[in-house]
Amino acid sequence: MGTLLKDFWYIFRNNIRDYGMYIALAGIFIFFTLMTGGLFVSSRNIFNLIQQTGFIAVGSVGMTLIIVIRHIDLSVGSIAGVVGAMAAVLIVSYGVPAAVALPSVLIFGALAGLLTGYLVAKVGIPAFVASLGGMFVYRGLIFNFLQSTGTLGINDPIIEAIGRGTIPSLATVFGMQLSSLIIGILAIGWLIYSELSNRQKKIAYNFEVLPKNLMIVKLVFMSIIIAVITYVLGSYRGISWVLVIVGIVLFAYHFMTTKTILGRHIFAVGGNPEASELSGISVEKITYFVFSSMGFLSALSGIMYLARLQSATFTAGEGLELQVIAGAFVGGTSAAGGIGKVTGSVIGALVMASLINGMQMLSLGSNIQNIISGVVLVLAVIFDVKTRNMKKTEKKS
Amino acid sequence: MPPYPYGGNHMSTSTLLKMNHITKTFPGVKALDDVSFSVEAGSIHFIVGENGAGKSTLMKVLSGIHAYGSYEGDIEFDGEVRAFHRIDDSEKAGLVIINQELALIPEMTVYENIFLAHEVSTNGVIDWNETIHRSSEELKRVQLNINPGLKVKDLNVGQQQLVEIAKALSKKVKLLILDEPTAALNENDSERLLNLLVELKAQGITCIMISHKLKETIIADRVTVMRDGKTISTLEKDDIDEARIIKDMVGRSINDIYPKRPPYEAGDVVLEVKGLTAFNHRTDKTVAKNVGFQLHRGEVLGLAGLMGAGRSEIALSIFGNPKKYSMELEMTMMGEHVQFKHPSEAIKKGLFYVSEDRKAEGLVLKKDVKENVTLSNLHKISNRFVIDKNAEIRSAKEYVDHMNVKTPSLEQLVYYLSGGNQQKVAISKALFVGPKILILDEPTRGIDVGAKYEIYTLINQLIEEGMSIIMISSELPELLAMSDRLLVVAEGEIKKELHKDEFSPETVMTYATS
């Protein structure tokens, strides 16, 4: 057992940057749970927390890549707003089915992002300015679409489902939603399978793997977490479509960034654009891709926001870009480029949303909420910078 | 070798600097191990050694970059024991260090730079007239005849180097420390700089110089050789001898600096360039004028010339034009007409360019060794577009072993490797795409003797395997030794083609300066 602890400590120390955010999240959860007498981790509140975080988390995923390639996108909130307005007008005023309207506005978002990318990569103006221009233009367009009414209520089953719905329950077993239960069990199965198959492959190559007992500890620990989440969600309304959307986006982007050539090229461009160009990577194409992915995710975020409110408003998405940027930075994305993780950014967004949610439960005023959020944002980045330097000295030795 | 003026015999007997029993430890590494070292006033003292021998660390200890207290031992300067906590402490005492990466601000004028952080002022208000006047004086002392109102970004590297020295002089420097000042300079500018140091010595300024170019020790009064954090030997003027220095540096004797070249027979033409003319909009300069040449299979074609002659520009124009020059070019590769719109197309056809600036353009420093090696050819280790990380580790290891890259692991960030090992990673990356033609731009810049030898050996090996290499270098002896044929470039034009039997430094310099 002594060596197990030692191994654990060694791995923990060397990966403290990766774990720091999870520890912070756990800390926030424990703190608010104690302060609210357990209300914070009630099924109902966790469900709400997910609904509140979803549209920000999706944006943070896209923003991670933008920051990784050393740019910024300030038009996220305005694109989200205009996309919501467009979708509402299409569905309500023109009677277009949501199944057609939503893909159309997602494409609009991607094209809007592509335009920013064009201004940055081809015309060569700073992303800050290009996207700031976009921010004003799209905000203006919202007024065009919504005209004098100001808000446009929407009543559509698909929008309703995205905003408030959950996946079908199938049946209730021991007071839990069957579908959530099945997904939870599948997730644990997949976790164990992928860990073991990965291990087999590494052993086949004669590479270093985690000590066996440590792997078991890791699997048990993660299985318990999934089981708890499954229990918490399953015993209330189950898994919401918001969670499904965030899950799909996160999985796709995590896969893309860690496993594909495209992902590797994005991070190389962020790490050193000149070297990447000479390595045969088109910095221009990567910039186009990353910005249009941001536009696409902004649009998705806009749809989720529209669905949440069930109406389009002038102010939809205002300030969203800053929440999204905060999520990415809290999640460990480096402003110097080349470093960041989409999983981290989603956790970062969740950290920020949990703070707000918890403080609201404690009935703290907006003033306190904003001050605490600001302090946590800066603390998170300080932690990130400090642990990075620590790693540097360690490696030099 | 042109004769250097020695500026009279100014060897004085007084000691300006004594460093006694200096030991500096980084976590796990003894960078300096009980080093004692002294410098006579009014002398030029060289410190030489391989990368990682401790030269720069010693200078950082001396100038207070490594603060007093972070090392053991003591420093006597100008007759007093000193405790420098910061670099401005040492500057106040009259000790100025000029690093390889120049500390000038490109967007500021020469005079603003010279008096940066010690402005000519009364109560915080700067006297610009006096600043400009004094700057002109200092520029005269370093024999740099330019308008002090120019912006530093408009000067070439050689001129910037001189501005740095002028800046040091304006601080009333007694001991000037230069860390590889000629690494980025061409032969002409290097010579000019060495002459200036001799001139300054005549004015009583003592100088410590770190250099990798041993022939420069001709101006030295003393040479100290360092290896593995220790001083190995200190040679007096009359005993200075390159072979001896090399032996002390590497701890063994290298009979020949260059490995034996296999005899060269011209193979088929693998690359033909015709009518290359390129214009750089950013600098508003024509960088290549009607350039045409052929490259044969199994040949090393050297591109000689001064800094800024257009050698790298010619290479980049061929390599898919990443700097976006406006250009005309007709090019045939392996008998096939080609037109590359981006480096990726050149790489696909088997042409690869290894940049002269491995940190800025060659490597992604924040990424690890394996990711750098595989970056240009991820398809080789991918299943469609998904990277097989295990295959990546395996093939990266193959290249790292073959190139003898010294790294603790494949996961080590390239940032932490020494210059020589970084260069080996940059070349591994090039070889990983399996090129038929390789352009090596300054492949040995700033790396130590041992690593240079390994790179020369590799070049020979690649040639024997049938690869063709275009080599660009500012070190003329290296270029003469390694090339089968030479093109001398000046002002973006090929001034002369030289065959092996016509090689001589004088001929090359004649055409390079024409």
Side-chain angles (χ1 to χ4, degrees), chain A residues 47-129:
Chain A
F47 184 86
N48 285 339
L49 181 59
I50 289 169
Q51 302 302 94
Q52 288 163 5
T53 315
F55 69 101
I56 302 172
V58 164
S60 288
V61 167
M63 190 60 78
T64 310
L65 300 189
I66 294 275
I67 296 173
V68 160
I69 65 163
R70 308 181 182 192
H71 289 306
I72 198 78
D73 190 342
L74 299 178
S75 63
V76 171
S78 292
I79 291 180
V82 79
V83 157
M86 283 167 74
V89 169
L90 282 175
I91 294 168
V92 176
S93 309
Y94 293 93
V96 179
V100 177
L102 298 185
S104 316
V105 295
L106 285 174
I107 292 170
F108 170 83
L111 290 175
L114 194 63
L115 176 63
T116 317
Y118 173 81
L119 293 173
V120 173
K122 197 86 185 178
V123 183
I125 63 175
F128 193 99
V129 179

Side-chain angles (χ1 to χ4, degrees), chain A residues 185-203:
Chain A
I185 291 168
L186 285 179
I188 292 175
W190 183 77
L191 173 80
I192 293 172
Y193 167 78
S194 67
E195 181 79 22
L196 288 180
S197 83
N198 233 329
R199 192 182 167 83
Q200 283 308 318
K201 272 186 212 156
K202 288 207 161 166
I203 290 173

Side-chain angles (χ1 to χ4, degrees), chain A residues 258-259 264 279 392 397, chain B residues 27 363 387 389 392 416 429:
Chain A
T258 57
K259 297 257 195 315
R264 187 65 67 79
S279 302
K392 206 179 279 177
S397 61
Chain B
L363 298 165
I387 297 170
K389 295 203 171 165
E392 172 171 43
Y416 300 114
K429 180 177 120 178

Side-chain angles (χ1 to χ4, degrees), chain A residues 201 205 207 258-261 264-265 268 271-272 274-275 277-282 336-338 392 395 397, chain B residues 27 319 342-344 347 359-361 363 366-367 371 376 382 385-387 389-390 392-394 412 416 429:
Chain A
K201 272 186 212 156
Y205 276 102
F207 293 158
T258 57
K259 297 257 195 315
T260 68
I261 294 178
R264 187 65 67 79
H265 283 180
N272 188 342
E274 286 81 14
E277 186 77 17
L278 291 180
S279 302
I281 300 167
S282 168
K392 206 179 279 177
K395 283 231 168 159
S397 61
Chain B
F319 183 61
H342 190 269
S344 57
I347 292 170
K359 285 187 180 157
E361 298 187 339
L363 298 165
K366 277 182 268 182
K367 294 284 161 191
E371 290 194 22
S376 282
S382 299
F385 55 87
V386 181
I387 297 170
K389 295 203 171 165
N390 294 321
E392 172 171 43
I393 294 173
R394 205 174 41 163
Q412 177 79 324
Y416 300 114
K429 180 177 120 178

Side-chain angles (χ1 to χ4, degrees), chain A residues 197-260:
Chain A
S197 83
N198 233 329
R199 192 182 167 83
Q200 283 308 318
K201 272 186 212 156
K202 288 207 161 166
I203 290 173
Y205 276 102
N206 262 331
F207 293 158
E208 200 185 331
V209 289
L210 272 182
K212 200 166 201 167
N213 45 9
L214 206 58
M215 181 194 71
I216 292 169
V217 170
K218 178 183 165 188
L219 282 179
V220 168
F221 181 71
M222 290 184 67
S223 302
I224 290 173
I225 288 184
I226 295 176
V228 168
I229 294 173
T230 306
Y231 170 75
V232 168
L233 292 176
S235 59
Y236 181 54
R237 291 185 50 200
I239 292 170
S240 65
W241 287 111
V242 168
L243 185 57
V244 173
I245 293 173
V246 173
I248 291 173
V249 167
L250 180 59
F251 177 81
Y253 273 76
H254 179 68
F255 180 81
M256 190 262 282
T257 50
T258 57
K259 297 257 195 315
T260 68

